[in-house]
Amino acid sequence: GAIGCSQMLSENMHLFVGDNPADIRMCIASIGNFLMHKGWDKTQNGKPVEKGSKNWMAIYAYNPNKAYVRLVIEIGDSLRWLP
């Protein structure tokens, strides 16, 4: 099963998670490391994530469920407008 607040699978823990998987800063960093490793395109930050794009595929690699990917993108879009 998934481990820590990032809910990383055990085979990915040693690659992407630091010493304390319960630390929220470490969780955020580990998810960022995972997404970058899976092809996240930083040049697209702040832009809509299109289905099939590198960023869409990176999120899908984290959780291969299209409904999950759509929800993550919707949440990200709603947070983009916060000050």
Side-chain angles (χ1 to χ4, degrees):
I3 302 168
C5 57
S6 64
Q7 290 295 284
M8 195 77 61
L9 295 176
S10 58
E11 61 264 22
N12 292 322
M13 288 296 285
H14 72 284
L15 295 173
F16 304 107
V17 179
D19 297 335
N20 184 358
D23 181 327
I24 189 65
R25 291 169 296 180
M26 191 60 61
C27 287
I28 293 168
S30 67
I31 294 167
N33 288 338
F34 180 90
L35 293 173
M36 291 296 293
H37 180 77
K38 295 298 182 178
W40 186 267
D41 182 358
K42 290 192 299 186
T43 67
Q44 297 301 304
N45 287 358
K47 298 177 183 175
V49 177
E50 302 293 332
K51 186 174 182 181
S53 69
K54 289 181 180 181
N55 294 352
W56 193 96
M57 296 302 292
I59 298 168
Y60 187 80
Y62 187 80
N63 185 331
N65 180 301
K66 292 176 184 175
Y68 175 86
V69 174
R70 283 192 307 270
L71 180 62
V72 167
I73 292 167
E74 287 176 21
I75 292 169
D77 287 344
S78 70
L79 295 175
R80 181 182 10 239
W81 308 111
L82 292 176

